[in-house]
Amino acid sequence: MTEEVRFKSVVGPELAGTIDLPEGEVRGWGIFVHGFTLGKNSPAASRVSKQLAREGIGMLRYDNLGIGDSDGDWGDGSFTIKVQDTVRAATLMAERGTPADLLVGHSWGGAAAIAAAAEATGVRAVATIGAPAEPSHVERQYDAVMERVLSEGSHDWFVGGRTLVLKRAFVDDVHQARLRERIRELHLPLLVMHSPTDNTVDIANAGEIFSEARHPRSFVSLEGADHLLTARGQAQRAAHIISAWADQYIHRSRPGGKER
């Protein structure tokens, strides 16, 4: 079962989200932060969230600005906006009485999940899948048009079968984003998951994130998985691991409340 929700981005337009409702005993709630130009219905976001819901952890997955069912222009977003909108998503979950215990981020969304965790209401643990150690890792994806963007202010960028408008403010924000300090200051349990055969974000990034993080920290190698988790059963496998790892953190009692 799912519930459709909408909430405002920090820059104004409404973002579309889907909450995969937990089955059986409710163990907790979480938010899935999707990759760079992906969306809430991408294989990683959809399959991981649905499997976690089957295991009792309800998950909100939402489309970033200008992606999928969300309003606005993708080019008006940035890494900073993605982080702030993740915090907004956590606020939505808290307001509906289901505060998010868990942030799960895939690829670029993993970096955003780490950066948002300290400000996101209720978050107790963070899990990343195929995340880069620095947000600027995505620059290689639009390297061919970057010079035009910097000189002209914006330029069309064809990616994933569609044309997006890449803007200078977006490029500047990504270039200036720094994640390592956020990792060191996280002070929350962190699970780093990465495939050794990831051809999009090298597994060396996982090592850098893990080495910067403080305990409690964990690393799991997703052997056989591709970056997008499209291979049969790989997204579900990742969800199983996250579910088992997060169990000890999402069951702690909240101040003034009952154990969940």
Side-chain angles (χ1 to χ4, degrees):
M1 293 179 62
T2 62
E3 177 183 334
E4 303 304 314
V5 296
R6 297 185 74 84
F7 62 99
K8 281 196 172 184
S9 164
V10 293
V11 294
E14 283 197 339
L15 306 179
T18 297
I19 299 177
D20 294 291
L21 300 173
E23 298 179 13
E25 177 190 358
V26 179
R27 296 171 52 217
W29 298 86
I31 298 169
F32 193 101
V33 189
H34 68 68
F36 189 40
T37 59
L38 302 176
K40 69 179 186 301
N41 295 322
S42 61
S46 177
R47 295 172 189 175
V48 170
S49 295
K50 288 177 179 178
Q51 185 60 46
L52 285 170
R54 293 187 194 103
E55 299 186 21
I57 304 175
M59 295 293 294
L60 165 64
R61 46 190 166 97
Y62 72 94
D63 288 323
N64 286 148
L65 197 69
I67 294 288
D69 298 319
S70 288
D71 298 336
D73 184 344
W74 179 86
D76 290 332
S78 64
F79 183 72
T80 298
I81 299 302
K82 186 177 181 74
V83 170
Q84 292 175 347
D85 283 344
T86 301
V87 174
R88 283 278 181 106
T91 300
L92 168 71
M93 293 296 282
E95 289 175 347
R96 71 187 295 276
T98 55
D101 307 283
L102 176 67
L103 283 186
V104 180
H106 171 239
S107 191
W108 208 51
I114 291 173
E119 301 175 48
T121 303
V123 171
R124 302 171 167 196
V126 182
T128 66
I129 305 169
E134 287 293 355
S136 58
H137 184 278
V138 297
E139 289 180 341
R140 65 187 65 187
Q141 294 191 37
Y142 51 72
D143 182 65
V145 299
M146 191 186 303
E147 186 175 336
R148 296 284 297 272
V149 171
L150 294 177
S151 63
E152 300 172 10
S154 66
H155 193 72
D156 287 350
W157 177 43
F158 187 75
V159 58
R162 59 189 164 180
T163 299
L164 299 174
V165 178
L166 187 63
K167 300 183 179 182
R168 183 163 51 203
F170 190 115
V171 171
D172 289 344
D173 180 85
V174 170
H175 188 69
Q176 294 168 13
R178 297 291 180 268
L179 189 65
R180 294 177 192 276
E181 288 184 12
R182 300 286 190 102
I183 298 171
R184 289 193 291 267
E185 297 170 357
L186 182 60
H187 299 302
L188 288 173
L190 175 64
L191 171 63
V192 180
M193 308 175 71
H194 214 113
S195 170
T197 53
D198 188 329
N199 293 321
T200 303
V201 179
D202 192 271
I203 195 171
N205 287 269
E208 292 178 40
I209 293 172
F210 187 80
S211 65
E212 293 285 359
R214 299 175 183 274
H215 287 294
R217 57 182 180 172
S218 303
F219 172 76
V220 174
S221 178
L222 297 175
E223 293 92 346
D226 61 302
H227 180 70
L228 297 177
L229 297 185
T230 56
R232 183 177 180 181
Q234 288 296 344
Q236 289 83 357
R237 175 190 172 209
H240 289 320
I241 295 169
I242 294 168
S243 174
W245 170 82
D247 192 66
Q248 63 179 319
Y249 306 117
I250 63 179
H251 274 87
R252 292 179 184 172
S253 59
R254 293 186 177 278
K258 297 180 179 180
E259 186 170 306
R260 299 202 26 191

